[in-house]
Amino acid sequence: APGSCALAVGDLNLLLDEEGRSLREARSALEQAFPGGRAVASSHEAKLVATLLHCEKVCLQWTAALQYLEDLLRKQLVAAIGKEVMPADFAEYMRFHNRRLFAEAYAPSAFSFPVRRSAAHSPEGYLSIDEEARDGGIAAPIVTLAAHSAAEHPMSFPLSASTNITFGGDRHLHAWLATKFAGDAGASISLVSRARQFSSFVVLVGRISSATTFDPKSAAIVQNKDELTIPLDVSTIPTPKEFRDAIESLSPEQQAFAKAFRAMQLESTLFGVLVIQIKPQLEKVLNLPADSLTKEIGLTQDLMRLFIEHQIPSDLLSLGGGEAGSEAPPRERLEAVRGHVRAMQEMIAKSKKEELADSAELLAYHRPLPQQPVLCEEREGGGICMDFDEGISRSRCAPGGAAPKGDFKRKKGGGGLLARGGTPQLLSRSAPQSAAVP
């Protein structure tokens, strides 16, 4: 093109001809310099080495030319945008693009939800999946595509080998599109649960193994301003095309095993989070009307302490059939449960006192303390009796106000008073010794 700096096709052909001519000239020179025939280093090997070295130089020049063009285009793009685009910038652009692409009802939203009983109740806490900022900023919830539906059929999870828990409730399905550049480690995300003061709920984390089964791996009670952070290890599996390309060269048996293993991965890779509110479940277990414990903060805390710390069976605290029935006013039913809680607390306090008394007696039996000298009435006017524990083999009594004198001995390991030079002294029980005082 007129005014272009690129070489014309004819000039490129001349350069290629010159390259071929110089290569042929070098091969002719090598053929004359090296012997022919069946020598160790013949002219055939020399020409082959020269040709391969020439190909290596051509490839290096080609790579350098392509890298120069790519670097030139990259600099032009950075200059046009005004900054170097990082993964966080691209994620921000995708959020901007999604706001313009999707309708408001289907637009991606932040994965952050309040844990509440209903719209008329205050939140018990909050549940979110936060992504740590790559530039060291504040972590923010991830943006997901979500679909919500009511429970069409109940689900269950095993609490133990003989107990299954069935649950219902609303269900939310989320899809998260994560972006990363080549060489980037990817996003670091965590499941964060926060509870408000005097509030509590249970969080279970696991996998959804089927349409009716939830497989929990971890569970925790979040209460009273707790903040639970669980790091999530996100891994990717190959796409269907990548999987087909990877198993193409395998044997039929290996392909069958790889397909079966991939089927298992696809069925058990759906991450699930289950939130169970505690107050509604307590009301059902204790046979109380709905919303009975909403404002009973002290009673709720006492119940939580009895169930969690002391493992009290619910039958000992619930409203029995012989008490205020379902026709009784809610206040009477609540007071009946409060009486059960008070009685259980008194019994626990009494049991603690008995345990402390038993522990003190056991400690006194194994580690007896020295007794105090007692008043002796054998002599006129009384005196101090030195025979106060098993450590004294012989004792004497001194008149009141006088120091005893005489022969006193102390066994090894014992404790008590020892008269030295006419003055009684207290010896430690920890240092075994034996002494005789004249």
Side-chain angles (χ1 to χ4, degrees), residues 302-357:
D302 292 339
L303 288 170
M304 293 284 293
R305 194 174 299 110
L306 291 175
F307 283 134
I308 297 175
E309 296 181 8
H310 302 285
Q311 301 290 317
I312 301 298
S314 60
D315 295 343
L316 301 180
L317 302 175
S318 62
L319 195 64
E323 300 170 306
S326 58
E327 296 81 7
R331 177 55 58 182
E332 293 184 7
R333 301 168 66 179
L334 190 63
E335 290 300 326
V337 173
R338 196 191 308 275
H340 295 332
V341 171
R342 191 180 302 112
M344 189 60 62
Q345 289 177 337
E346 293 176 355
M347 187 187 69
I348 291 175
K350 180 180 178 181
S351 177
K352 287 183 178 180
K353 290 182 181 179
E354 294 177 354
E355 290 180 1
L356 290 176

Side-chain angles (χ1 to χ4, degrees), residues 45 83 139 260 269:
E45 285 81 4
K83 63 177 298 185
T269 55

Side-chain angles (χ1 to χ4, degrees), residues 41 48 60-61 72 87-88 90 95 160 165 178 229 248 255 260 292 302 352 357 361 366 370 374 376 395 403 406 423:
L48 179 60
L60 291 176
Q61 292 293 331
L72 182 62
F90 190 79
R95 286 191 287 268
S160 63
I165 302 297
T229 302
E248 185 178 2
Q255 290 184 6
S292 298
D302 292 339
K352 287 183 178 180
E361 292 180 0
H366 291 289
V374 296
C376 182
S395 64
T423 303

